[in-house]
C-alpha cells in the first residue's frame, strides 16, 4: 500500500486544481439538530437509485408532508399516516422509503436516549470507527446500507469516506481489497487503510476519500 503522499501525487498529476477539488463540496444541509439529520437521511434514501433533481424539486413538499421532520412525530407515524403519505403527491410515493422515515426517526431517538442527542452521537463518533457508525445506521435504521448513509453523513459535514467506484478502484490498486467491500473483514481492511493515511497526513476522512477518488477519476 502506497503512502498518502504518493497517492496525493498521483491525484495532483491528474488534476492541476486538486486542492480546490478537495476543498469543494462542503455540507449540503445544516446537521445541527436531530430533525435535520432525519431530513438528511430521508433525502439520501429517496435519492438512491432515483433522479436527485426530482427529490430536490419536491423537497419543500417533503418538509411539509413529514412535519418538518420532527423526530418524535415521525417516530410515531401510524399505519393511517403511512397510507396517507403513499397517496401524497407532494412527495415521491414509494412505500418502503416512506416507512424508512419512521424507522430512522426511531433510530435517532434511540441514539438521543444514550447520548443526549443523535446529533451529538454522530458528531462524536470517532473516525477510527467510521465503519462502526455505518454498521449502526444500517442495523438500526431504514434503508441506510450501501453508500446511502455514507453520502448522508458526508452531506451533513461528518468526516467520512464514500466507497464510490473510484475510491474502491484505488483501494484495489493499493491491495487493500480485491473487490467492492461488503464483508466485515473487507470493511475492517478499508478502515485500517484510512486510519494509516489519516495518521500520515493529518487530513479528515473526507479529504482522504476525495484524494483517492481523484487519483482515479
Amino acid at each position: 500500500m502506497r503512502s498518502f503522499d504518493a497517492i496525493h501525487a498521483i491525484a495532483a498529476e491528474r488534476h492541476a486544481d486538486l486542492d480546490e477539488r478537495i476543498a469543494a463540496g462542503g455540507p449540503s444541509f445544516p446537521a445541527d439538530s436531530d430533525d435535520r439529520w432525519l431530513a438528511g437521511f430521508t433525502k439520501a434514501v429517496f435519492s438512491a437509485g432515483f433522479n436527485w433533481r426530482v427529490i430536490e424539486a419536491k423537497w419543500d413538499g417533503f418538509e411539509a408532508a413529514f412535519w418538518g421532520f420532527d423526530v418524535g412525530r415521525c417516530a410515531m407515524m401510524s399505519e393511517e399516516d403511512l397510507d396517507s403519505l403513499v397517496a401524497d403527491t407532494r412527495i415521491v410515493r414509494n412505500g418502503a422509503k416512506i416507512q424508512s422515515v419512521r424507522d430512522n426517526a426511531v433510530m435517532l431517538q434511540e441514539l438521543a436516549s444514550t447520548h443526549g442527542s443523535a446529533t451529538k452521537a454522530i458528531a462524536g463518533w470517532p473516525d477510527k470507527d467510521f465503519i462502526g457508525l455505518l454498521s449502526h445506521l444500517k442495523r438500526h435504521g431504514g434503508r441506510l446500507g450501501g453508500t446511502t448513509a455514507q453520502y448522508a453523513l458526508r452531506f451533513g459535514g461528518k468526516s467520512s469516506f464514500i466507497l464510490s467506484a473510484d475510491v474502491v478502484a484505488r483501494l484495489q490498486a493499493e491491495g487493500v481489497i480485491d473487490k467492492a467491500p461488503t464483508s466485515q473483514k473487507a470493511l475492517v481492511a478499508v478502515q485500517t487503510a484510512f486510519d494509516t493515511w489519516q495518521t500520515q497526513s493529518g487530513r479528515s476522512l473526507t479529504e482522504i476519500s476525495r484524494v483517492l477518488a481523484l487519483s482515479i477519476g
Side-chain angles (χ1 to χ4, degrees):
M1 185 176 85
R2 276 172 277 208
S3 69
F4 177 79
D5 284 347
I7 297 171
H8 184 277
I10 294 171
E13 287 181 2
R14 296 180 62 87
H15 303 281
D17 59 344
L18 179 62
D19 290 341
E20 290 79 3
R21 286 174 177 262
I22 294 171
S28 63
F29 67 90
D32 53 4
S33 62
D34 292 2
D35 66 285
R36 290 304 89 197
W37 273 114
L38 182 57
F41 287 136
T42 300
K43 184 175 284 189
V45 167
F46 275 85
S47 296
F50 202 74
N51 188 331
W52 67 268
R53 291 182 179 85
V54 174
I55 305 303
E56 196 66 43
K58 284 181 168 284
W59 194 248
D60 287 346
F62 275 84
E63 289 279 355
F66 289 106
W67 310 282
F69 292 101
D70 179 275
V71 174
R73 178 65 182 86
C74 288
M76 294 296 292
M77 280 194 285
S78 65
E79 293 305 311
E80 290 75 15
D81 288 329
L82 294 173
D83 289 342
S84 177
L85 286 163
V86 169
D88 195 328
T89 59
R90 294 175 295 177
I91 65 174
V92 173
R93 293 170 289 172
N94 180 302
K97 292 186 176 186
I98 291 168
Q99 171 73 51
S100 77
V101 180
R102 183 170 69 182
D103 296 339
N104 289 326
V106 171
M107 179 267 294
L108 290 170
Q109 281 187 325
E110 291 170 350
L111 279 175
S113 71
T114 55
H115 294 84
S117 73
T119 303
K120 182 179 178 180
I122 293 169
W125 207 289
D127 286 357
K128 290 185 178 296
D129 187 37
F130 185 65
I131 62 170
L133 175 55
L134 295 179
S135 177
H136 183 91
L137 296 177
K138 180 179 179 179
R139 288 199 321 271
H140 299 284
R143 303 183 73 87
L144 292 177
T147 59
T148 302
Q150 296 168 29
Y151 277 106
L153 292 167
R154 170 75 61 82
F155 293 155
K158 176 68 176 173
S159 176
S160 55
F161 54 73
I162 294 176
L163 295 173
S164 64
D166 286 341
V167 171
V168 168
R170 174 49 60 192
L171 291 167
Q172 289 176 297
E174 299 308 313
V176 175
I177 52 177
D178 58 6
K179 60 181 179 180
T182 55
S183 69
Q184 185 63 20
K185 180 180 179 180
L187 289 170
V188 168
V190 170
Q191 179 76 66
T192 300
F194 271 89
D195 291 347
T196 298
W197 290 321
Q198 193 167 48
T199 298
Q200 292 172 350
S201 68
R203 291 177 180 260
S204 68
L205 296 180
T206 297
E207 292 173 314
I208 295 168
S209 182
R210 285 182 175 147
V211 170
L212 266 60
L214 291 165
S215 73
I216 299 292

